[in-house]
Amino acid sequence: MNSPLVTVIIPAYNHERFIAQSIRSVINQDYENIELVILNDGSRDKTHDVICTLVDECRQRFPRFEYINKANE
């Protein structure tokens, strides 16, 4: 039996203090068939930099991983 795909979406705006913990929480799940989408909505702190440190690990862990870093206009 195939496991259903679970999608986790993490929105972020100026959450450099919390974003790594949020992403790690998803990475550490026992359930395997997870796709992760992170949306950084124009953060002005170092949220983008923190996310970038975890991108390679996310690509290895999830069958589908997408990071959207958009300007907040």
Side-chain angles (χ1 to χ4, degrees):
M1 182 176 165
N2 291 346
S3 300
L5 180 64
V6 172
T7 302
V8 176
I9 301 171
I10 301 176
Y13 178 73
N14 291 341
H15 283 106
E16 75 176 279
R17 291 180 46 213
F18 310 105
I19 193 68
Q21 182 179 1
S22 298
I23 295 168
R24 285 248 172 255
S25 171
V26 181
I27 289 171
N28 292 331
Q29 293 300 308
D30 291 335
Y31 193 81
E32 290 296 320
N33 201 15
I34 299 172
E35 66 178 351
L36 177 61
V37 178
I38 302 171
L39 172 60
N40 182 19
D41 192 18
S43 294
R44 295 182 178 155
D45 62 2
K46 294 185 180 185
T47 298
H48 171 73
D49 297 334
V50 174
I51 293 168
C52 286
T53 66
L54 295 166
V55 165
D56 288 339
E57 192 173 349
C58 288
R59 286 190 178 130
Q60 291 176 5
R61 164 63 175 91
F62 304 110
R64 178 173 177 256
F65 168 71
E66 187 168 347
Y67 173 42
I68 302 164
N69 184 33
K70 73 176 214 79
N72 191 340
E73 300 172 17

